[in-house]
Amino acid sequence: GAGVSQSPSNKVTEKGKDVELRCDPISGHTALYWYRQSLGQGLEFLIYFQGNSAPDKSGLPSDRFSAERTGGSVSTLTIQRTQQEDSAVYLCASSSRPGGNQPQHFGDGTRLSIL
Amino acid sequence: GDSVTQMEGPVTLSEEAFLTINCTYTATGYPSLFWYVQYPGEGLQLLLKATKADDKGSNKGFEATYRKETTSFHLEKGSVQVSDSAVYFCALSEVWEETSGSRLTFGEGTQLTVNP
């Protein structure tokens, strides 16, 4: 597609369940980022991928969070044993190549609600 | 660590008014600076960017100039429209080296409402 695609757009789940969020970046973009947008914390960086490797995962808030990227394209963010504080909008972004001056293009996000 | 501070919102203006949203930053290196906009129900969109001191980014009538001496990147528009109503985020990313990815550090966001 023309832009970054995320699925699902909305996810409601019970506390303690595992969830998987998917990101399909712009074709040919080698760099991929996950961010979280929540009311109390604003926009926070979670993890960065270059190709299939994750040189920077320092933003993951706990070991319940993990992410992978396969084939240098699609990425999945997994949250295990969800807690209510995980409720947020999870945003994925991609850029054509690494480098701090490269603009990141964002998807519409997945709104995650933990009951 | 890096940080971005935006003027407190929300901001309410009448159509055709002049807009300024202040943004200042703290960074250890020489960051690139961005303004992103989020329209209601949509994701973040890049509005403009500047990658070095004294650069001016511009798009859709919006402008911002990278001021290293004042560590600022204020967003301006001479005449706002109702369709400009959105949340505006100032952000920076460090340029450590060309082959490194770099996280974005965002400000808190400023809600702009433009009334007809």
Side-chain angles (χ1 to χ4, degrees):
Chain A
V4 177
S5 177
Q6 291 187 248
S7 61
S9 54
N10 285 283
K11 177 71 175 179
V12 180
T13 192
E14 295 179 346
K15 176 182 171 181
K17 300 288 188 183
D18 297 351
V19 295
E20 285 189 353
L21 313 180
R22 176 188 167 105
C23 172
D24 198 345
I26 293 172
S27 177
H29 279 196
T30 62
L32 186 147
Y33 303 80
W34 285 97
Y35 295 87
R36 179 168 72 173
Q37 185 175 23
S38 56
L39 279 177
Q41 302 297 323
L43 274 156
E44 306 171 280
F45 166 82
L46 297 178
I47 188 169
Y48 154 66
F49 285 93
Q50 173 54 32
N52 291 336
S53 64
D56 187 355
K57 54 180 76 172
S58 61
L60 295 178
S62 76
D63 59 8
R64 296 186 296 104
F65 288 72
S66 63
E68 65 176 12
R69 188 179 185 195
T70 55
S73 181
V74 172
S75 176
T76 302
L77 177 68
T78 301
I79 309 173
Q80 295 179 310
R81 305 180 303 280
T82 52
Q83 304 294 313
Q84 287 187 331
E85 62 262 28
D86 300 335
S87 296
V89 177
Y90 289 81
L91 295 170
C92 177
S94 68
S95 64
S96 57
R97 55 189 176 93
N101 61 354
Q102 297 303 310
Q104 296 177 26
H105 302 269
F106 284 79
D108 287 343
T110 294
R111 182 175 297 278
L112 177 63
S113 300
I114 310 299
L115 302 178
Chain B
D2 298 344
S3 67
V4 176
T5 302
Q6 288 182 233
M7 65 183 293
E8 292 185 10
V11 174
T12 302
L13 296 173
S14 298
E15 204 164 25
E16 299 183 2
F18 184 84
L19 169 71
T20 299
I21 301 177
N22 290 336
C23 171
T24 57
Y25 67 89
T26 302
T28 53
Y30 299 94
S32 292
L33 301 174
F34 305 86
W35 277 99
Y36 280 85
V37 58
Q38 188 172 34
Y39 297 102
E42 298 184 15
L44 286 165
Q45 299 177 26
L46 177 66
L47 182 58
L48 52 85
K49 70 169 186 174
T51 58
K52 61 183 188 296
D54 299 325
D55 269 2
K56 177 184 283 188
S58 62
N59 186 27
K60 299 181 180 179
F62 290 89
E63 293 183 341
T65 300
Y66 190 140
R67 301 288 188 199
K68 191 169 183 292
E69 63 276 14
T70 55
T71 62
S72 65
F73 193 55
H74 305 321
L75 182 68
E76 297 182 337
K77 186 175 185 182
S79 175
V80 294
Q81 305 300 311
V82 172
S83 58
D84 294 327
S85 297
V87 181
Y88 292 82
F89 292 92
C90 185
L92 70 81
S93 65
E94 291 277 15
V95 186
W96 295 114
E97 58 185 58
E98 189 57 30
T99 55
S100 296
S102 191
R103 66 177 69 183
L104 284 167
T105 299
F106 288 91
E108 306 87 350
T110 300
Q111 172 74 57
L112 170 66
T113 301
V114 180
N115 294 319

